[in-house]
Amino acid sequence: MTIDTGKVYRLEDYRPTDYAIHATNLVFRLDPAHTRVTAKLDFERREDAALDAPLVLDGDGLKLLSVTVDGAQLSPDAFEATPDRLTIPRLPRERFSLVIETELAPEANSALMGLYLSNGVYCTQCEAEGFRRITYFLDRPDVMSVYTVRIEAPKASAPILLSNGNPVESGDMADGWHYAVWHDPHLKPSYLFALVAGDLGRITDSFTTRSGSIVQLGIYVEKGKEARATYAMDALKRSMVWDEEVFGLEYDLDVFNIVAVSDFNMGAMENKGLNIFNDKYVLADEESATDADFANIEAIIAHEYFHNWTGNRITCRDWFQLCLKEGLTVFRDHEFSADMRSRAVKRIAEVRTLKSLQFPEDQGPLAHPVRPRRYREINNFYTATVYEKGSEVVRMIRTILGAETFRRGMDLYFERHDGDAATIEDFLKVFEDVSGRDLSQFALWYHQAGTPHVSVSSTYDEARGELTLDIEQSVPPTPLESRKRVMHIPLAIGLVGKDGRDLEAASSETSSFADGVIQLKKRRQAIRFTGLSERPALSLNRGFSAPITLASEQTIDDRLFLSRHDSDLVARWQALNGLLSDHLIETSKAPALQSNMAGRLAEVLGAIAVDDALEPAYRALALTPPSEADVAREIGSNIDPDGIRAARDTLVDTIAAANRESFEVLYRELEDSDSFLPDAASAGRRALRNVLLDYASAAQGVPGLAAGQYRNATNMTERAAALAVLARRFPMAEETVSALADFERRYGDNPLVLDKWFQVQATIPGDAALSRVEALTRHRAFSIGNPNRVRSLIGTFASSNQTGFHRADGAGYRYFADRIIEVEKRNPQVAARLATAFRSWRSLEPSRQELARKELVRIAAVPGLSTDLKDIVDRTLA
Ligand code: TRP
Ligand code: ZN
């Protein structure tokens, strides 16, 4: 574990290395406690480097056995080695090769960075700075070399030996060992290196690229789980076709392998030709995975595959540029999923994710620009801002330039930068070059943190048929940035007439309004529409064209009208969601508030539920009121989680009671007698049915319906949803106790499925959750060393159980802080990620605020804290 030193890395300090590495030859002799790594690195001093420049290589906790330069063993006074650095002050000539021997203990690697063992399988994770835990290296993305890797291992325990690139040779050795050699012809940075060795099952397939090359595809999983990898394989082939069709990008090696491992810090990793996945994002069948799991697998398989071009062929100059590959690749996987599924539904799901994960980040102490300028620990910048807001920024470029020009820009990007370690400036430049536009103001989206706020007021002149919009923008201050500059915001709008159709109008400023998009570039901007035949309802930020918060003076009637009739489904959903949210905010503060709003909302939702013109998946989204966390975020300060929960429960009860009969009828109609299909349409019907189950159960006030669905479920989507309704609505009921016991019995040997069981219990509302979570950490299937278990039980409790985590007595915070401290000892990266659940502590009411602060201070005071956790806790308290 790297203990915090307080060192800060700054973007402006970037300079290239003095030495380049042309070839990296690695030999691994694998052993759980004594793996021997021999790295032969061919160096060349760069032209502009000083002749006497020392060579300084990165390490992290390394045990060095020997170093030679051009075949000669270095005497101990010719270099300086610590676990974290190897310095050679004098080098013989311009080109030289270094052979470094290190010894590793993968079995003792609980941080899951570098080489480690997961269920007896050797695997690696090198992004961002894990390669330095394997050998001394210039471990940064702008040092790119050609890798040849030889793996040696006992044939019995590790029949499968994989690395990047193409297989070149394999064979037997003495004493039951064997070896394999892999060669990757493409230049790559060290963070894309990967190795896997173990006794794995596999499924294979092949893919013929558009230009006729045949690619062998393999997905490796734990033996016995092969059948559960077929959906991932299907998603992979669809991703390969899609990237050829939509971006003209083909795969570039003879093989493409994916390995699923059960201990993994994040979702998946795009290592060249050898993606390594958290098994949760590979394994699925109807019996064990929900529709949401299938959708995630499809998206993440695509995401990692798409990195082959956006990330691998064109990589990042330094880690400040992380969004260059991540934001762009998320944009690409979003577009892929939109094409595979329903575009509108996918977009609404993206907006919900952005608001629930990125907005709180942008509005709290951990706010940072999409391209940060400083960091202490890069692992802490794999954030919703870099990924999700980074994707929104790419989407806005397309909105501003139009799809066709955007595609020409992407083509130029691949043509100009293939093989480069590039920057955000390089990326923006291609779009300026193809469009002739100046994107310098737009670039603020990369440089300036905070969610811009846009307020719109309108006046309508009946006699003239003129509508004037007064639009004002501002960006709230964020840590280290108190003054903000004016942004370029593409705001898509529509003027909706009484029949629901968009009205035709001429606009005063053609330069700033075209294709329904207003280009906001000033702090205040007025825009006039003329030639209107009636007063329109204003549809704002259509398609969520910009990741902003929005305020507009609109009547309840207009908003209700838009929530039924806006031709843009995303804006329609936003109108409805805004009404639900505003109502929940009001009633959470004044529970006794008398208004007929709840009744009107119940009526609208009742109409949407049975509107056959709408896809079931859309109806399911519309019928789901904002979560307690959503409402808390919208309130923003002095938050009382109990009041929010009461308001939400009351609203759900009102909607349920008002529509009791029709919801029950529809629930029964939606019963699926066909065999299971994981496609979007079938998933949408199941989603709607599951929302209705919750309402119907609320109306009935008894667990019978949910218990019945649980018993008769023929797939995990139905079963898990029924279990959730039982546990959250009727936690003490006999039916719930027996369903939980049944689930545990059924899936006791399937940890990924048991994670759902942990999750559902972690979200039982109220004070009782904590003791349940505590007890479950002693369950035989729980393991504090496995990130999926930790996130399912402890992470879910903190991030998704508002009333449980934010217990008024602070016991939730205390327990959670203890677990963070416990996890940190093994895995600082996972601990730091957990700790971000405290990020909105200043928005709580004063007494909870103080209780949360005390726990953060307690964590910060633990001696010898890792850089990962210290960085998060310090920034959260700052
Ligand atoms: N590059 C990976 C992705 O987004 C993210 C990732 C996987 C990662 N494992 C990691 C980042 C470990 C940091 C550390 O596809
Ligand atoms: Zn990624």
Side-chain angles (χ1 to χ4, degrees):
M1 171 166 114
T2 318
I3 294 176
D4 179 52
T5 60
K7 183 176 161 71
V8 174
Y9 296 86
R10 290 170 209 281
L11 171 62
E12 64 267 26
D13 292 342
Y14 174 82
R15 69 175 204 98
T17 53
D18 290 329
Y19 294 90
I21 302 176
H22 295 305
T24 300
N25 281 266
L26 302 170
V27 179
F28 286 81
R29 207 173 154 77
L30 293 172
D31 180 86
H34 306 279
T35 287
R36 179 75 61 104
V37 182
T38 309
K40 176 172 174 290
L41 312 175
D42 294 343
F43 283 92
E44 183 177 8
R45 191 172 58 232
R46 295 196 202 268
E47 268 176 23
D48 41 8
L51 297 180
D52 61 350
L55 180 67
V56 184
L57 301 183
D58 305 300
D60 181 359
L62 287 174
K63 177 174 170 188
L64 176 66
L65 301 181
S66 70
V67 206
T68 69
V69 176
D70 289 336
Q73 186 99 18
L74 276 189
S75 67
D77 58 349
F79 67 96
E80 193 193 324
T82 70
D84 301 339
R85 197 190 316 282
L86 175 64
T87 311
I88 307 180
R90 278 169 306 279
L91 281 316
R93 55 200 133 252
E94 206 176 306
R95 286 167 167 271
F96 56 93
S97 74
L98 214 63
V99 177
I100 302 168
E101 273 190 298
T102 51
E103 192 186 275
L104 317 176
E107 68 178 7
N109 182 350
S110 61
L112 314 183
M113 294 295 286
L115 178 69
Y116 64 95
L117 273 166
S118 175
N119 270 346
V121 177
Y122 292 93
C123 61
T124 56
Q125 172 56 41
C126 292
E127 187 176 4
E129 297 177 337
F131 192 74
R132 62 185 67 184
R133 293 163 62 89
I134 294 173
T135 190
Y136 293 99
F137 203 76
L138 294 172
D139 190 15
R140 39 188 278 177
D142 60 344
V143 174
M144 298 164 81
S145 62
V146 170
Y147 283 64
T148 307
V149 179
R150 179 185 164 101
I151 311 167
E152 302 176 1
K155 204 170 182 171
S157 59
I160 305 286
L161 304 175
L162 306 171
S163 190
N164 315 89
N166 298 317
V168 291
E169 197 192 327
S170 62
D172 289 333
M173 298 166 63
D175 302 324
W177 281 54
H178 71 151
Y179 74 93
V181 179
W182 291 77
H183 178 76
D184 182 0
H186 298 281
L187 286 174
K188 69 166 174 288
S190 50
Y191 82 87
L192 291 173
F193 164 79
L195 170 158
V196 170
D199 190 7
L200 292 159
R202 74 162 157 209
I203 63 168
T204 59
D205 208 323
S206 73
F207 181 83
T208 306
T209 68
R210 202 168 54 167
S211 62
S213 333
I214 296 171
V215 185
Q216 300 302 327
L217 309 176
I219 300 186
Y220 294 79
V221 298
E222 212 171 275
K223 278 205 165 140
K225 297 183 175 170
E226 294 86 348
R228 282 201 269 153
T230 54
Y231 183 77
M233 182 66 88
D234 176 59
L236 172 61
K237 289 187 289 180
R238 286 185 282 124
S239 306
M240 295 176 88
V241 172
W242 187 90
D243 218 12
E244 292 185 347
E245 286 179 350
V246 177
F247 283 96
L249 300 171
E250 285 187 33
Y251 188 63
D252 54 7
L253 287 165
D254 304 338
V255 301
F256 186 76
N257 286 319
I258 291 174
V259 180
V261 299
S262 47
D263 300 88
F264 202 70
N265 282 350
M266 310 264 284
M269 180 63 213
E270 69 265 25
N271 318 297
K272 184 78 185 189
L274 179 56
N275 291 357
I276 299 182
F277 272 61
N278 185 327
D279 58 0
K280 158 187 170 78
Y281 297 120
V282 171
L283 300 173
D285 58 20
E286 61 191 274
E287 169 67 11
S288 64
T290 62
D291 291 324
D293 293 328
F294 280 99
N296 281 333
I297 289 170
E298 179 178 79
I300 297 175
I301 290 275
H303 178 97
E304 305 310 331
Y305 175 73
F306 296 157
H307 267 314
N308 190 55
W309 277 94
T310 50
N312 302 2
R313 291 288 289 251
I314 306 179
T315 194
C316 303
R317 186 191 73 173
D318 53 63
W319 291 121
F320 296 101
Q321 320 295 329
L322 184 58
C323 64
L324 178 73
K325 72 177 179 81
E326 295 304 347
L328 177 55
T329 304
V330 170
F331 171 74
R332 279 152 51 68
D333 85 56
H334 282 176
E335 282 299 295
F336 169 75
S337 294
D339 284 345
M340 295 296 122
R341 291 163 180 260
S342 155
R343 187 161 275 274
V345 167
K346 171 64 183 156
R347 186 64 189 142
I348 294 167
E350 286 160 17
V351 173
R352 289 182 53 175
T353 307
L354 188 81
K355 287 187 167 184
S356 70
L357 299 179
Q358 200 276 327
F359 278 24
E361 188 166 270
D362 232 354
Q363 292 160 11
L366 300 179
H368 55 274
V370 172
R371 188 182 69 185
R373 280 179 298 279
R374 44 196 283 136
Y375 63 76
R376 273 163 78 184
E377 173 52 66
I378 189 56
N379 285 334
N380 290 338
F381 284 81
Y382 289 78
T383 60
T385 298
V386 168
Y387 277 65
E388 311 301 326
K389 189 175 179 181
S391 164
E392 294 302 319
V393 176
V394 176
R395 181 176 298 278
M396 285 188 285
I397 296 176
R398 189 181 64 174
T399 301
I400 290 168
L401 301 188
E404 202 225 330
T405 309
F406 174 76
R407 171 63 202 270
R408 282 195 287 121
M410 289 299 298
D411 289 349
L412 181 58
Y413 178 62
F414 297 119
E415 190 188 308
R416 188 182 280 175
H417 293 292
D418 188 13
D420 287 355
T423 62
I424 284 302
E425 283 71 18
D426 294 329
F427 183 66
L428 284 167
K429 184 75 166 55
V430 297
F431 295 107
E432 292 193 321
D433 288 357
V434 294
S435 69
R437 294 218 211 182
D438 175 2
L439 294 176
S440 49
Q441 187 185 9
F442 180 80
L444 288 172
W445 282 103
Y446 283 108
H447 308 322
Q448 201 162 257
T451 308
H453 181 72
V454 172
S455 67
V456 181
S457 60
S458 62
T459 44
Y460 183 65
D461 184 330
E462 183 85 61
R464 295 182 170 202
E466 268 183 30
L467 176 80
T468 307
L469 301 185
D470 277 297
I471 309 177
E472 221 178 308
Q473 61 157 292
S474 61
V475 184
T478 53
L480 307 175
E481 287 176 16
S482 49
R483 287 171 54 88
K484 302 285 185 176
R485 292 198 276 159
V486 178
M487 313 268 293
H488 175 183
I489 301 172
L491 186 71
I493 67 154
L495 308 177
V496 186
K498 289 194 178 54
D499 60 359
R501 273 198 293 239
D502 286 0
L503 300 174
E504 299 284 333
S507 88
S508 58
E509 275 182 77
T510 44
S511 66
S512 58
F513 184 78
D515 305 329
V517 182
I518 303 175
Q519 306 296 334
L520 298 176
K521 296 182 178 176
K522 290 182 267 181
R523 196 171 297 283
R524 280 196 70 159
Q525 213 159 313
I527 184 160
R528 200 170 69 235
F529 295 94
T530 53
L532 285 159
S533 50
E534 56 179 288
R535 188 190 68 85
L538 257 185
S539 169
L540 295 169
N541 207 16
R542 280 189 158 176
F544 208 69
S545 64
I548 55 172
T549 55
L550 192 66
S552 64
E553 302 154 4
Q554 271 176 307
T555 64
I556 298 283
D557 285 334
D558 272 2
R559 297 167 75 190
L560 283 167
F561 177 78
L562 290 169
S563 63
R564 289 297 282 127
H565 301 292
D566 197 321
S567 61
D568 181 273
L569 276 182
V570 179
R572 195 191 289 194
W573 173 82
Q574 289 187 101
L576 177 65
N577 197 253
L579 285 167
L580 290 163
S581 180
D582 287 354
H583 175 74
L584 288 171
I585 292 170
E586 275 178 39
T587 52
S588 76
K589 292 177 179 165
L593 191 85
Q594 291 298 319
S595 85
N596 62 357
M597 198 54 206
R600 294 182 79 180
L601 289 169
E603 200 182 310
V604 177
L605 293 190
I608 291 173
V610 297
D611 184 347
D612 286 332
L614 294 165
E615 297 170 85
Y618 175 86
R619 290 187 257 163
L621 284 172
L623 284 165
T624 308
S627 70
E628 291 165 37
D630 288 331
V631 179
R633 181 192 66 243
E634 295 297 324
I635 293 175
S637 62
N638 199 21
I639 291 163
D640 163 23
D642 297 321
I644 295 172
R645 177 179 165 210
R648 193 176 187 279
D649 286 352
T650 304
L651 176 62
V652 168
D653 286 345
T654 307
I655 297 165
N659 298 288
R660 177 166 180 168
E661 206 171 316
S662 68
F663 281 8
E664 279 179 27
V665 169
L666 186 55
Y667 172 78
R668 297 202 190 282
E669 278 174 15
L670 283 163
E671 188 164 357
D672 206 350
S673 49
D674 300 342
S675 60
F676 180 89
L677 285 173
D679 69 292
S682 316
R685 284 191 297 276
R686 286 187 285 269
L688 178 55
R689 186 163 185 264
N690 286 335
V691 176
L692 295 169
L693 173 68
D694 190 49
Y695 280 116
S697 302
Q700 295 174 2
V702 288
L705 196 64
Q709 175 166 323
Y710 179 87
R711 269 196 312 277
N712 300 327
T714 57
N715 57 65
M716 182 50 70
T717 303
E718 293 172 348
R719 195 182 300 284
L723 190 67
V725 172
L726 286 169
R728 289 175 203 150
R729 229 166 240 302
F730 312 102
M732 307 314 281
E734 208 179 290
E735 286 87 340
T736 303
V737 174
S738 77
L740 283 169
D742 174 81
F743 198 96
E744 180 187 11
R745 215 176 309 116
R746 248 175 223 268
Y747 305 108
D749 58 353
N750 189 334
L752 288 179
V753 183
L754 226 45
D755 280 346
K756 302 180 192 309
W757 186 78
F758 286 132
Q759 274 169 30
V760 82
Q761 296 181 79
T763 53
I764 293 176
D767 286 1
L770 178 56
S771 56
R772 208 183 267 257
V773 170
E774 259 182 305
L776 286 171
T777 57
R778 291 186 292 274
H779 191 273
R780 52 165 187 81
F782 183 80
S783 155
I784 198 83
N786 179 282
N788 287 355
R789 298 304 90 72
V790 167
R791 286 186 284 250
S792 297
L793 186 60
I794 298 165
T796 301
F797 171 67
S799 66
S800 310
N801 190 339
Q802 293 288 302
T803 49
F805 177 51
H806 298 287
R807 262 169 71 140
D809 63 1
Y813 305 145
R814 199 175 328 122
Y815 173 77
F816 185 58
D818 283 338
R819 296 292 74 71
I820 290 171
I821 293 166
E822 184 186 4
V823 171
E824 198 235 11
K825 294 190 192 112
R826 313 167 148 268
N827 192 326
Q829 200 180 336
V830 168
R833 184 57 62 114
L834 283 179
T836 62
F838 274 119
R839 69 180 163 216
S840 300
W841 68 278
R842 274 186 219 277
S843 310
L844 295 161
E845 51 80 21
S847 131
R848 284 176 171 90
Q849 232 183 88
E850 181 50 25
L851 292 163
R853 195 191 61 84
K854 256 181 50 193
E855 296 307 324
L856 282 162
V857 168
R858 183 162 69 88
I859 298 172
V862 171
L865 226 49
S866 64
T867 316
D868 304 64
L869 185 54
K870 191 79 165 82
D871 171 45
I872 293 290
V873 173
D874 282 356
R875 280 193 284 143
T876 304
L877 280 167

